[in-house]
Amino acid sequence: MTLTPVCPRCGEILVVRPGETAEAWCHLHAAVTPLHHAPVLAHDALAAVCADSRVPAWVPDPMPPGWSVGGIAWGGEPGARAIVVDCTGPGPLGGSAELLIVAEEPGTGLGSGYAGLPWLDPGELVGGSPAAVVRAAGQRAPMWDVPTSEDRAAFVGEAYGVWLWMITWPASAAWLLAEDLSLLDLRDRVYPDLPLGPPGDHLLPGA
């Protein structure tokens, strides 16, 4: 099931602007790449979204205890140029936590939308000493912390030639990045025992 496309930067439901290009239009951000989104209902549905994606679809590997994949969103069809996987599980200080892992081509603005930033790409935020390092399909991927609101933590780096974002709610869930985190690209393999669960509260930007 695919829900109504929204703006990748603010989550607003899009309209189609008349004309030969039939652009997807947001009243705040003008022409944008439509963000499609869906709860993950089955492994086959997840594999179908990932099959023709131009960017990785990252999940933690192994998945932290008690965590599951609950939703997926992608920008552009066919051949998504941005994709986000929504993971939820128990928080380190009690309650629930949520982790969004975004891979996107430059100029898409999806990661910035989740992080609450006003620009498309992180630019000068990437540089100096990284705050954390993850392993993306076996490759070392430094991650820099991004200034954002107090209810979340946001990190950005690069893997496979595109931006890699990780955004957590609450901010304390960023402990996941300190746990020698490794990421698997679901385009390569959707393993049959990947845990699936309900989507979190932040599958869409602006939520």
Side-chain angles (χ1 to χ4, degrees):
M1 178 178 64
T2 302
L3 306 179
T4 304
V6 301
C7 174
R9 300 183 62 188
C10 67
E12 175 186 292
I13 294 177
L14 299 175
V15 298
V16 177
R17 199 179 191 193
E20 293 182 1
T21 58
E23 291 177 315
W25 195 261
C26 168
H27 89 282
L28 289 177
H29 299 107
V32 296
T33 299
L35 182 68
H36 306 269
H37 57 288
V40 175
L41 303 177
H43 293 95
D44 289 348
L46 185 61
V49 172
C50 300
D52 63 357
S53 176
R54 290 160 39 178
V55 298
W58 299 116
V59 293
D61 182 39
M63 189 72 71
W67 282 69
S68 61
V69 173
I72 190 167
W74 61 101
E77 286 187 323
R81 55 193 300 258
I83 197 163
V84 55
V85 179
D86 181 23
C87 304
T88 59
L93 302 180
S96 60
E98 187 170 0
L99 167 66
L100 296 181
I101 308 178
V102 180
E104 64 173 339
E105 295 179 352
T108 307
L110 181 57
S112 290
Y114 287 113
L117 303 178
W119 49 81
L120 289 174
D121 294 315
E124 295 181 357
L125 296 176
V126 176
S129 299
V133 176
V134 301
R135 305 290 296 185
Q139 299 181 8
R140 185 177 183 273
M143 304 293 292
W144 286 266
D145 56 339
V146 172
T148 186
S149 54
E150 294 182 355
D151 66 331
R152 73 197 75 177
F155 300 83
V156 66
E158 180 272 333
Y160 278 31
V162 297
W163 295 121
L164 166 63
W165 294 79
M166 303 183 76
I167 303 99
T168 71
W169 288 264
S172 61
W175 65 271
L176 287 168
L177 278 74
E179 296 292 318
D180 195 23
L181 185 67
S182 294
L183 303 177
L184 169 73
D185 184 358
L186 293 177
R187 297 179 303 171
D188 297 331
R189 177 173 62 95
V190 178
Y191 55 92
D193 57 347
L194 178 70
L196 304 181
D201 296 329
H202 301 96
L203 180 57
L204 298 184

